[in-house]
Amino acid sequence: MPTQPIPAPGSHAISIRNLKKSFGSNEVLKDISLEIEPGEVVCIIGPSGSGKSTLLRCVNLLEVPTSGTVLVGPDEVTHPDADLDRIRRRIGMVFQSFNLFPHLTVLENLTVAQIKVLKRRKEDAIATARLNLHRVGMSHKEDAYPGQLSGGQQQRVAIARSLSMEPQLMLFDEPTSALDPELVGEVLAVMKSLANEGMTMVIVTHEMAFAREVADRVVFMDGGYIVEQGLALEVIGNPQEERTQSFLHRVLNPMVIDAAEVIEAEELSTA
Amino acid sequence: MSTQTTHPATEAAAPRLTRRQRARLSLGVQYALGIAVIGLLAFMTDWATFSAAFLRFDILERMLPRVILIGLVNTIIYAALAFIFAFVVGLLLAVMRLSSVAAYRWFAGAYVEFFRGVPALVVLFMVAYGIPNAFPGFQFPGDKYGMVMVGLGITAAAYMAETFRAGIQAVPKGQLEAARTLGMSHTRTMATIVIPQAFRVVIPPLTNEMILLVKDSSLVYVLGVTAAQYELTKFAQDFLNRSVNATPLIVAALCYLAITLPLSGLVRRLEARYAKAR
Ligand SMILES: Nc1ncnc2c1ncn2[C@@H]1O[C@H](COP(=O)(O)OP(=O)(O)OP(=O)(O)O)[C@@H](O)[C@H]1O
Ligand SMILES: [Mg+2]
């Protein structure tokens, strides 16, 4: 805790300005600007391939932006001399595929970075780890290996692993997309309680009910742009842009299949 | 070999046998032939002469216990020393090959290509005679043992580097990303997350590498070793010259198998275990 610098007053938790990212000739992010305040919960929604993951991964520089700036608290992540390892400690990240370390037990998954990166004493690391396992309801599995856990349990452990670093903000990239439907609830419940505790969270998700209930703000992305953003209830309940409307229509009514879309899909598959 | 064919012509030629019957008939014929050949060989062999050529117990008695205490022990020592050298250098080369620094990648790539393409014997000669000539006054630590460690290890390192590289690349990218996200440096990530997982993948091929080194240790005699430094092949050859009989070779072969068979068994066990853990 004492190693974490106090953010300058008035600074944003995340500040993204004119961010662009290309993979070769494929421009995936086209001029994104977005600010996220401390304690805010923001859900990013949008169709597949719209650049949601890429945007999230540019925040902790898992992807290097082509241009633009990203600030996390007072630190410019995109500065060439930025100490990324130091900045990343303060940004938790939860992946769709959990990415727990399979050769380590649950407890070791939570302590390894505390000990090696934060240089905490082993006893302190274990105490912090146990506290966070308790938070996600996984205390009973501290000696298990990830392979012995269900997907939902693995994702809760992954969240606890991030929390053990005592991050200032957390990024979630479709944390429930790889889960069987009956396991989604337990992970969302953990995330909801985190939101209630005041954690700053940016969540890429397809769970509209969750977004509507938990998010302070919803950002809709399409084709590398932010098309629309605002209060969760407004964006999901009363979208203004046509692209948002048709996306939400498809997501919220998966059984209603548009005849035009079927024809389009058939043309694509035969092409 | 097999009479199982779906060709319509042969199907028509033997219309009264079902496919399974024909397969059984063919197998029966093969067994009968095999037994006949073995029987004929056994009949034609003069067993007294045969065992006199390959299994003379008086020679075996003269070889014991030194074939174990010197031959077998030195073989294990040479192979183990070379393995340790190759392990360390191979791991280093693999990490260099995957480095973001182009010069490292280039060096490791060139090393692997060169030493995989040159016979181990040539490399051993180069080390044994080249290095002392190039650096007058240089002495390998442990004399012949140090020389063998480097001479055989250099070649094995090239193969092991490729094994390690494959193992490291088999670790999913998400593992690396998760570790970096927790603030670990690249080096720290490799050491605590990637390489420990890569080891699970490479243990079977590494054991095979060890078996190859056990056999490669038979090249050591070219360095002109003293009697106390003999490994199995040289030891057996020495006896062969004196006894003009193949028994020493059989004994040496059995000793090699005493090392390599347990290693093969270990590989099979480990492979089965990791297959389950996946
Ligand atoms: N490492 C990469 N190399 C090349 N192209 C990439 C890479 N990562 C992403 N892309 C491309 O960038 C585009 C946006 O990908 P991204 O993963 O950000 O989309 P997304 O909105 O997260 O989609 P999804 O909902 O399917 O996860 C896609 O067209 C993808 O093919
Ligand atoms: Mg994505």
Side-chain angles (χ1 to χ4, degrees):
Chain A
M1 291 285 253
T3 55
Q4 294 181 356
I6 299 142
S11 82
H12 308 286
I14 303 174
S15 174
I16 298 166
R17 286 184 211 135
N18 305 108
L19 181 69
K20 291 182 183 167
K21 172 66 184 176
S22 303
F23 293 105
S25 61
N26 178 14
E27 191 170 39
V28 173
L29 296 179
K30 301 162 184 164
D31 199 11
I32 300 267
S33 293
L34 182 66
E35 263 144 21
I36 287 161
E37 306 307 323
E40 204 181 10
V41 176
V42 175
C43 281
I44 301 177
I45 61 172
S48 181
S50 56
K52 307 180 297 292
S53 299
T54 306
L55 175 60
L56 216 56
R57 292 160 62 83
C58 281
V59 172
N60 61 6
L61 240 66
L62 283 182
E63 300 291 356
V64 181
T66 309
S67 68
T69 58
V70 175
L71 279 83
V72 171
D75 300 308
E76 188 187 333
V77 182
T78 41
H79 193 279
D81 298 332
D83 183 350
L84 285 181
D85 293 337
R86 183 164 282 280
I87 296 170
R88 281 187 182 130
R89 289 174 209 174
R90 313 204 316 263
I91 310 173
M93 184 156 195
V94 175
F95 302 86
Q96 182 175 346
S97 50
F98 329 132
N99 295 348
L100 291 177
F101 306 130
H103 62 303
L104 303 178
T105 64
V106 164
L107 196 65
E108 287 163 349
N109 262 278
L110 269 64
T111 55
V112 61
Q114 291 189 63
I115 294 168
K116 306 267 177 178
V117 176
L118 301 180
K119 310 288 177 204
R120 286 190 181 145
R121 294 213 324 266
K122 195 171 173 207
E123 312 85 88
D124 297 343
I126 289 176
T128 309
R130 292 213 166 111
L131 193 84
N132 287 303
L133 281 178
H134 181 72
R135 272 168 99 176
V136 301
M138 287 298 296
S139 297
H140 59 301
K141 291 287 188 187
E142 66 172 50
D143 292 324
Y145 283 89
Q148 300 167 315
L149 304 179
S150 75
Q153 291 177 325
Q154 288 192 49
Q155 193 61 297
R156 285 189 280 150
V157 170
I159 293 172
R161 177 175 68 180
S162 283
L163 289 174
S164 295
M165 300 299 283
E166 281 155 9
Q168 289 173 347
L169 63 112
M170 299 260 295
L171 310 174
F172 295 81
D173 191 0
E174 302 198 31
T176 58
S177 292
L179 298 177
D180 291 338
E182 76 270 23
L183 303 177
V184 168
E186 61 190 64
V187 173
L188 293 182
V190 165
M191 290 166 61
K192 190 177 159 188
S193 76
L194 266 183
N196 290 338
E197 287 166 33
M199 173 65 74
T200 310
M201 296 162 79
V202 183
I203 306 162
V204 174
T205 186
H206 291 297
E207 299 288 336
M208 293 304 147
F210 175 83
R212 189 161 35 197
E213 188 188 335
V214 178
D216 299 309
R217 183 152 50 116
V218 167
V219 173
F220 173 71
M221 282 182 70
D222 192 10
Y225 292 105
I226 293 178
V227 174
E228 182 168 359
Q229 60 172 310
L231 292 178
L233 277 177
E234 280 171 15
V235 174
I236 296 176
N238 183 24
Q240 300 302 306
E241 298 290 328
E242 197 200 314
R243 278 194 281 176
T244 321
Q245 288 164 3
S246 80
F247 170 74
L248 285 168
H249 182 72
R250 269 180 289 146
V251 174
L252 298 175
N253 310 293
M255 295 300 288
V256 183
I257 299 167
D258 204 324
E261 272 177 44
V262 174
I263 292 164
E264 201 176 310
E266 274 172 1
E267 277 168 357
L268 276 176
S269 65
T270 52
Chain B
M1 284 283 276
S2 170
T3 56
Q4 290 192 19
T5 168
T6 50
H7 200 276
T10 48
E11 205 85 70
R16 264 175 291 163
L17 289 178
T18 67
R19 181 174 298 188
R20 185 185 294 183
Q21 280 171 327
R22 273 186 288 129
R24 230 187 253 163
L25 181 69
S26 147
L27 205 63
V29 170
Q30 288 173 35
Y31 273 127
L33 266 176
I35 290 168
V37 169
I38 292 171
L40 195 66
L41 279 178
F43 178 74
M44 288 182 2
T45 308
D46 178 348
W47 283 105
T49 320
F50 184 83
S51 68
F54 285 108
L55 262 180
R56 268 177 49 193
F57 287 96
D58 58 319
I59 296 180
L60 174 63
E61 255 176 359
R62 269 192 284 140
M63 290 176 79
L64 288 171
R66 280 188 303 143
V67 66
I68 307 287
L69 295 181
I70 293 176
L72 186 78
V73 165
N74 275 330
T75 293
I76 292 175
I77 290 176
Y78 291 138
L81 286 174
F83 186 82
I84 292 166
F85 181 91
F87 187 98
V88 174
V89 175
L91 188 55
L92 195 70
L93 286 168
V95 172
M96 285 171 80
R97 196 126 196 224
L98 296 170
S99 156
S100 53
V101 184
Y104 287 158
R105 284 201 307 272
W106 184 86
F107 174 82
Y111 180 104
V112 168
E113 291 307 331
F114 183 85
F115 286 106
R116 272 200 315 190
V118 177
L121 187 60
V122 173
V123 177
L124 189 60
F125 268 127
M126 285 199 295
V127 169
Y129 301 110
I131 291 184
N133 282 345
F135 306 97
F138 175 81
Q139 267 284 330
F140 277 100
D143 186 37
K144 286 282 170 356
Y145 290 97
M147 215 179 258
V148 172
M149 180 172 188
V150 177
L152 291 179
I154 279 184
T155 305
Y159 288 96
M160 277 197 214
E162 286 299 277
T163 305
F164 281 127
R165 181 168 72 115
I168 289 171
Q169 285 177 328
V171 176
K173 199 165 151 249
Q175 292 290 310
L176 212 102
E177 291 183 348
R180 298 308 301 271
T181 304
L182 291 168
M184 291 192 197
S185 66
H186 181 78
T187 313
R188 171 84 64 202
T189 302
M190 287 307 265
T192 56
I193 304 301
V194 176
I195 289 175
Q197 289 184 56
F199 270 129
R200 295 167 154 215
V201 182
V202 301
I203 284 174
L206 278 192
T207 317
N208 285 330
E209 198 58 46
M210 182 76 199
I211 291 174
L212 291 179
L213 273 172
V214 168
K215 296 194 292 176
D216 277 355
S217 68
S218 65
L219 301 174
V220 167
Y221 77 93
V222 301
L223 303 184
V225 286
T226 67
Q229 295 166 337
Y230 280 6
E231 38 65 54
L232 279 168
T233 299
K234 178 67 184 164
F235 189 90
Q237 200 190 16
D238 213 41
F239 264 86
L240 186 68
N241 291 342
R242 280 188 273 152
S243 60
V244 200
N245 183 281
T247 305
L249 297 179
I250 298 292
V251 174
L254 291 175
C255 287
Y256 278 118
L257 290 175
I259 307 171
T260 54
L261 286 185
L263 286 174
S264 309
L266 186 69
V267 177
R268 273 196 303 278
R269 278 233 305 283
L270 289 170
E271 273 173 345
R273 187 155 110 218
Y274 291 133
K276 261 187 254 158
R278 223 134 268 270

